[in-house]
Amino acid sequence: MSRPLTDQERRKQISVRGLAGPENVSELKKNYNRHLHFTLVKDRNVANPRDYYFALAHTVRDHLVGRWIRTQQHYYEHDPKRIYYLSLEFYMGRTLQNTMVNLGLENACDEAAYQLCITPQKDLAKIKQLTDDGSGQSARFCSVTIRKYHAFSSCILTQCQRRLTWLENNFFNNLWRWTSSNNETTVPFFVRMTAQVKVKNKTLQLKHKEGSSDFDLPAIDLKQYIYCSANLQPSQSRALETNFVRLLYIPTKEEQQLDLSSEYCAPLFVCCLAEILSHFRPSVLDPPRAYGRRINNFNARSATLLSNVAPCSCNSERCPVLDGRGGAPWHTAWDITNRTCAYTNHTVLPEALERWPVHLLENLLPRHLEIMFEINQRHLNRVALVFPGDVDRMRRMSLVEEGSVKRINMAHLCIVGSHAVNGVAQIHSDIIKDTVFHDFYEMDAHKFQNKTNGITPRRWLVLCNPGLAEVIAERIGDEYITHLDQLKKLLDFVNDDAFIRDVAKVKQENKLKFSRYLEKEYKLKINPSSMFDVHVKRIHEYKRQLLNCLHVITLYNRIKKDPSKQYVPRTVMIGGKAAPGYHMAKMIIKLITSVGDVINNDPAIGDRLKLLFLENYRVSLAEKVVPAADLSEQISTAGTEASGTGNMKFMLNGALTIGTMDGANVEMAEEAGEENLFIFGMRVPDVEKLDRDGYDAKSYYDRIPELRQVIDQLNSGYFSTKQPDLFKDIVNMLMNHDRFKVFADYEDYIKSQDAVSALYKNPREWTRKVIFNIAGSGKFSSDRTISQYAREIWGVEPSTMKIPPPDVPRE
Ligand SMILES: *Cc1c(COP(=O)(O)O)cnc(C)c1O
């Protein structure tokens, strides 16, 4: 994108990025100029990149507005069932270019900008990137969360992460919000989310609380709020909500110690529920249609997805809320709760399955605690009825865990309060049924489902890898963008030399582009013909960045030992953020950067091996690195990664996977053919056996010389000469209490990596496997995931609404 495209190139760039028809383009040009002049009150002599961004964003947003209003009108007229997705984590990425892609406007915008000569192509590319990413995890449908305090940006130069909040850091994103003007304290924060026109408009709703400064909190009786929330008028509750949430975000000592910050989000969901309920309650603020709606109809009119455990307090919320507002008796309220709520589990790691201390709830949410006890009593009565005399099972299934600290098991509460429970990949859903929630499965097998995760092919192919999207469209047409399983048609081209060449060429271009980016932004020089071996995801022991490090050091030792031998050059890139309080994760980052310093500066190595840490890994960086990757590292200990979505992004973008039989890797191997991935290591039953027999790390250390050498180097300060003890904690963990059994998979991982290098020497065979993978990636579209949730859990069908052209306002 660094030079203007020729006319022929511009004509050739067709369908996947939208048509750049002359009417389209001239309309965009007109609107762009109009916004520059009338909205921003600037002309080209004084406009800066920010102004260009706003002019462009307003122009694009106009197209959204028309659709948005038509969508709302349709909802108003047809009153369809609403889906509320409650989550504390949303990973949004940047908005402008995504909106262009989804509206099919990107080519037209590029063309308009080109014709206006306002911004050469490269500036337009920059403008598209002016906003920051959002943060959190996947977002779809009507989703509710807290907007503040989320994002943190990491900066590795200082060896620590700086937190920046999304809003403080950039005002650009504010353009995409809609504020409601009828109150001053609580600002509902609607972010327009689009899907490609052919799919449907979706809305992401982020809740935001704005209030006075930290030191200016009016005295509010929190308990009073909790007790009363169900009966307050909206205007009354708003003032309370505002400061309530603020208060909860300033942890006291005890709370910090318990690291409960995320749990304090729970009360926020009270507010969300109040909002959901407001659609069912006559109020002067509601549109006339809302009158007449009946609370008994609640589950037919709305469905709630509880994403992860945190918002599960909704279950206990919903009862009193319904109780208070609808005057329904317990069994009706509970029945509605149950039929409305569904729970998606996202992890089986015990530390992430929250168990809240009863004494804290007593202080913070006493009424909720009462309700939880009541729920538990009724739940246990049922367990006793279904499994008479099974006292141990009652103990295991109780919502209340006895022990030195009495706790409420929030996952259990979620299961009991929901009509459906699902995992996010087949293997994960099986683990849930077989082990983690086995007792619940035996009692209510019908609740348990699987919904394998997906990624959106708009952002994760069309937007981030237009070259590949185009090469595919030239062979099979462009319908695959909204019907990703059509990628199967590429199987006809696995032996087509021209296609193989095109796919390899796009990859090489993406690698060059990413190399230039690294050089420009980070002064890193890498060899673009080396294998790009990429491991990007949150830093966590279970994701085993350490196993990758052991492989890199092994390669380093081999080259040092026998420098004259031929080696396949590799650039290993590891990137990801560490949770601020997670010491071991931070040490892992330190290890990666330290090992990189030694290897990258060793003249005996040259450009045969490099280890880079990609700092501040986020959606916009993923969009750059994923299309450039040759090898995708998905090497979690079998049974620990629920699904992963990074694995799918790489597969779709033409990287080969080295991975364990974990999460969605299992289904990727099924779809692409196991022989087209590099599958290695223990399967779940092997891990379980090792757990039963006792995992003895030292036995691997004693038996495998290359492993022993690496560990001895770490232990002796080879990679930390100034601080020889620096990595003792890591070594100690690996040798004595490694829950994720890194050494047990070391040998097979190295073997598999050797096979990767061997195949890389044969570009044709490599690219053929790439094509098998792309052809097999159709299952992993989020379109498929969402429609399964819709039909099989939420009980909704796709809307038949037709959206007319954007700029035709209707009475
Ligand atoms: C996709 C994505 C993830 C999830 O990656 P996994 O490999 O599935 O853990 C995390 N962070 C960012 C920025 C992503 O884009």
Side-chain angles (χ1 to χ4, degrees):
M1 283 263 238
S2 55
R3 68 176 169 83
L5 300 172
T6 65
D7 280 349
Q8 198 202 351
E9 280 171 324
R10 267 185 280 123
R11 264 195 306 277
K12 198 184 146 246
Q13 281 203 352
I14 37 145
S15 47
V16 293
R17 298 163 76 231
L19 289 174
E23 321 82 56
N24 253 344
V25 172
S26 72
E27 188 67 24
L28 283 168
K29 275 158 60 179
K30 210 172 71 197
N31 288 330
Y32 182 90
N33 280 327
R34 183 168 53 80
H35 279 300
L36 193 64
H37 289 238
F38 295 103
T39 309
L40 296 157
V41 199
K42 294 267 178 113
D43 71 5
R44 291 189 212 171
N45 298 325
V46 293
N48 59 31
R50 218 189 95 190
D51 300 320
Y52 290 137
Y53 171 84
F54 273 114
L56 181 60
H58 274 290
T59 306
V60 171
R61 199 185 66 166
D62 289 349
H63 287 252
L64 210 53
V65 169
R67 289 183 165 82
W68 168 256
I69 289 181
R70 294 308 289 267
T71 304
Q72 293 309 310
Q73 287 172 342
H74 177 88
Y75 290 166
Y76 186 83
E77 284 158 16
H78 299 269
D79 192 21
K81 186 169 180 173
R82 289 165 191 257
I83 311 301
Y84 296 88
Y85 192 103
L86 271 56
S87 176
L88 295 180
E89 295 176 86
F90 292 95
Y91 228 142
M92 288 179 44
R94 286 174 179 146
T95 316
L96 175 58
Q97 196 184 357
N98 193 240
T99 306
M100 287 183 186
V101 168
N102 287 339
L103 293 173
L105 282 177
E106 205 188 6
N107 261 337
C109 286
D110 285 0
E111 178 67 23
Y114 176 71
Q115 288 182 18
L116 284 165
C117 297
I118 287 173
T119 54
Q121 287 288 331
K122 71 167 192 278
D123 287 349
L124 183 64
K126 254 191 232 150
I127 287 172
K128 286 177 190 168
Q129 304 196 357
L130 265 177
T131 60
D132 263 18
D133 302 22
S135 77
Q137 278 291 357
S138 56
R140 32 192 125 282
F141 285 82
C142 213
S143 320
V144 195
T145 187
I146 303 177
R147 188 182 57 145
K148 233 176 178 182
Y149 304 106
H150 268 239
F152 57 95
S153 167
S154 74
C155 168
I156 207 64
L157 295 174
T158 53
Q159 295 295 337
C160 64
Q161 294 177 145
R162 255 177 323 125
R163 268 167 178 277
L164 297 169
T165 76
W166 186 42
L167 290 174
E168 280 158 23
N169 195 34
N170 76 96
F171 48 85
F172 293 110
N173 291 308
N174 287 342
L175 191 65
W176 304 100
R177 82 176 187 175
W178 244 243
T179 51
S180 85
S181 52
N182 58 18
N183 70 74
E184 275 129 44
T185 51
T186 303
V187 183
F189 191 91
F190 298 91
V191 177
R192 294 286 175 277
M193 293 289 285
T194 58
Q196 196 168 53
V197 191
K198 292 173 192 169
V199 187
K200 246 200 302 182
N201 267 8
K202 292 164 189 165
T203 303
L204 168 68
Q205 180 185 353
L206 300 175
K207 293 281 291 192
H208 170 50
K209 308 292 163 191
E210 267 165 6
S212 43
S213 85
D214 287 357
F215 306 102
D216 191 21
L217 290 165
I220 285 182
D221 185 343
L222 293 180
K223 288 181 190 157
Q224 192 63 21
Y225 170 72
I226 302 290
Y227 279 122
C228 298
S229 62
N231 300 314
L232 286 174
Q233 290 306 304
S235 58
Q236 291 176 293
S237 63
R238 259 178 213 123
L240 287 167
E241 284 165 10
T242 300
N243 295 297
F244 187 55
V245 171
R246 291 182 61 75
L247 241 166
L248 290 176
Y249 265 95
I250 306 165
T252 66
K253 268 219 180 79
E254 185 200 12
E255 290 149 4
Q256 272 170 344
Q257 194 188 334
L258 291 163
D259 191 22
L260 285 168
S261 58
S262 75
E263 296 167 10
Y264 291 140
C265 297
L268 177 89
F269 289 102
V270 184
C271 313
C272 299
L273 273 177
E275 174 146 328
I276 296 170
L277 276 165
S278 74
H279 292 288
F280 295 85
R281 185 188 57 221
S283 141
V284 283
L285 296 174
D286 289 335
R289 276 194 151 266
Y291 283 94
R293 279 185 185 156
R294 301 210 28 162
I295 201 80
N296 302 30
N297 223 5
F298 194 82
N299 74 293
R301 306 252 55 91
S302 91
T304 305
L305 191 80
L306 306 181
S307 172
N308 238 333
V309 176
C312 79
S313 57
C314 294
N315 288 341
S316 62
E317 293 298 343
R318 185 153 278 176
C319 266
V321 173
L322 289 170
D323 231 9
R325 288 218 174 105
W330 176 282
H331 72 267
T332 311
W334 181 245
D335 186 53
I336 292 170
T337 301
N338 209 277
R339 281 188 288 144
T340 309
C341 293
Y343 164 50
T344 299
N345 174 276
H346 289 272
T347 175
V348 295
L349 291 189
E351 60 266 41
L353 294 170
E354 290 170 31
R355 294 143 61 247
W356 298 5
V358 165
H359 67 86
L360 261 171
L361 288 169
E362 252 157 14
N363 285 328
L364 259 153
L365 304 163
R367 172 66 182 142
H368 292 63
L369 188 62
E370 258 175 53
I371 293 165
M372 289 178 200
F373 283 140
E374 178 69 29
I375 292 170
N376 194 38
Q377 192 55 54
R378 288 162 190 258
H379 161 61
L380 290 180
N381 288 346
R382 212 186 131 228
V383 176
L385 215 68
V386 183
F387 304 98
D390 196 341
V391 180
D392 199 47
R393 183 186 294 264
M394 301 250 296
R395 184 191 53 74
R396 293 196 306 265
M397 292 180 75
S398 175
L399 307 190
V400 185
E401 287 180 11
E402 306 293 340
S404 57
V405 182
K406 207 167 167 178
R407 289 167 185 275
I408 304 288
N409 186 315
M410 301 311 278
H412 289 187
L413 176 59
C414 281
I415 298 173
V416 170
S418 301
H419 70 283
V421 177
N422 74 284
V424 290
Q426 191 58 55
I427 188 176
H428 167 58
S429 299
D430 290 343
I431 289 170
I432 283 174
K433 291 196 281 192
D434 298 346
T435 58
V436 189
F437 303 134
H438 183 65
D439 291 318
F440 291 88
Y441 175 66
E442 288 194 326
M443 187 162 84
D444 290 311
H446 65 275
K447 282 189 184 180
F448 287 78
Q449 301 194 21
N450 171 246
K451 296 287 165 280
T452 299
N453 275 165
I455 54 168
T456 168
R458 271 73 67 187
R459 183 182 291 275
W460 295 112
L461 184 63
V462 180
L463 183 154
C464 73
N465 200 345
L468 183 59
E470 204 56 63
V471 161
I472 295 171
E474 281 168 15
R475 300 318 196 278
I476 63 169
D478 67 347
E479 227 182 64
Y480 76 91
I481 293 164
T482 46
H483 298 83
L484 204 65
D485 40 7
Q486 291 188 11
L487 286 175
K488 276 206 272 299
K489 295 182 189 168
L490 291 177
L491 288 174
D492 294 344
F493 297 89
V494 285
N495 295 313
D496 180 322
D497 287 326
F499 187 59
I500 294 171
R501 203 183 336 104
D502 285 354
V503 170
K505 183 162 164 261
V506 169
K507 179 61 72 182
Q508 198 51 41
E509 285 164 2
N510 292 340
K511 289 173 70 174
L512 271 168
K513 189 172 167 195
F514 190 65
S515 308
R516 283 198 294 267
Y517 166 80
L518 286 182
E519 186 166 354
K520 184 151 166 284
E521 299 290 319
Y522 300 101
K523 311 279 169 282
L524 293 169
K525 250 189 129 50
I526 60 176
N527 171 7
S529 62
S530 63
M531 182 201 306
F532 284 14
D533 173 346
V534 183
H535 196 174
V536 285
K537 47 185 75 238
R538 294 300 291 251
I539 307 292
H540 200 292
E541 287 162 85
Y542 87 83
K543 292 175 181 280
R544 296 202 296 192
Q545 283 89 2
L546 282 174
L547 181 56
N548 193 340
C549 286
L550 299 188
H551 171 244
V552 173
I553 300 171
T554 304
L555 286 184
Y556 170 75
N557 289 337
R558 286 180 183 175
I559 301 176
K560 292 287 272 188
K561 189 170 162 207
D562 193 352
S564 60
K565 236 181 98 184
Q566 284 277 311
Y567 296 91
V568 173
R570 280 200 199 220
T571 302
V572 180
M573 303 176 222
I574 305 180
K577 285 170 185 167
Y582 188 175
H583 170 73
M584 185 54 74
K586 291 184 167 178
M587 287 312 298
I588 292 170
I589 295 179
K590 184 76 192 160
L591 177 69
I592 298 163
T593 55
S594 305
V595 172
D597 281 346
V598 171
I599 295 179
N600 302 344
N601 295 308
D602 189 331
I605 300 298
D607 66 0
R608 291 184 286 186
L609 181 62
K610 290 273 179 272
L611 173 59
L612 311 181
F613 184 77
L614 300 180
E615 69 187 55
N616 200 10
Y617 179 59
R618 61 203 186 284
V619 171
S620 53
L621 183 55
E623 287 166 5
K624 296 183 174 72
V625 71
V626 169
D630 293 305
L631 185 66
S632 157
E633 301 267 356
Q634 308 298 338
I635 59 178
S636 53
T637 314
T640 63
E641 183 74 88
S643 161
T645 52
N647 45 5
M648 304 166 184
K649 297 169 194 167
F650 284 103
M651 182 188 196
L652 180 60
N653 281 276
L656 296 187
T657 300
I658 182 162
T660 47
M661 275 298 197
D662 199 21
N665 298 353
V666 177
E667 288 153 81
M668 284 163 47
E670 229 166 75
E671 297 294 309
E674 194 171 327
E675 68 283 5
N676 294 311
L677 284 77
F678 297 93
I679 297 292
F680 72 93
M682 296 178 286
R683 312 301 204 247
V684 169
D686 304 322
V687 176
E688 288 168 349
K689 181 166 187 314
L690 208 47
D691 275 327
R692 284 194 303 274
D693 298 351
Y695 166 62
D696 176 17
K698 188 150 184 310
S699 66
Y700 302 93
Y701 171 89
D702 289 338
R703 184 168 61 76
I704 309 166
E706 284 194 308
L707 174 61
R708 192 163 58 242
Q709 183 187 2
V710 173
I711 297 304
D712 290 347
Q713 284 167 320
L714 293 180
N715 213 19
S716 66
Y718 186 100
F719 296 103
S720 54
T721 38
K722 288 196 188 114
Q723 265 178 285
D725 284 351
L726 191 58
F727 301 122
K728 284 244 154 62
D729 281 356
I730 290 185
V731 171
N732 179 36
M733 182 276 288
L734 289 171
M735 293 286 285
N736 300 310
H737 44 89
D738 177 8
R739 293 167 58 203
F740 303 105
K741 305 180 179 63
V742 170
F743 290 4
D745 275 339
Y746 171 84
E747 206 170 21
D748 206 26
Y749 179 57
I750 300 290
K751 243 193 247 163
S752 192
Q753 287 284 19
D754 291 341
V756 170
S757 290
L759 185 71
Y760 199 72
K761 289 189 210 163
N762 184 343
R764 187 171 194 277
E765 271 315 295
W766 181 280
T767 305
R768 282 187 70 246
K769 281 196 197 293
V770 164
I771 296 168
F772 275 110
N773 273 274
I774 299 171
S777 64
K779 174 175 179 183
F780 305 104
S781 169
S782 51
D783 300 340
R784 188 265 314 145
T785 310
I786 293 169
S787 85
Q788 286 181 335
Y789 274 103
R791 293 204 164 90
E792 297 161 22
I793 295 183
W794 305 331
V796 292
E797 288 293 315
S799 165
T800 51
M801 176 182 65
K802 293 269 183 299
I803 300 177
D807 45 346
V808 190
R810 210 179 49 161
E811 286 312 304

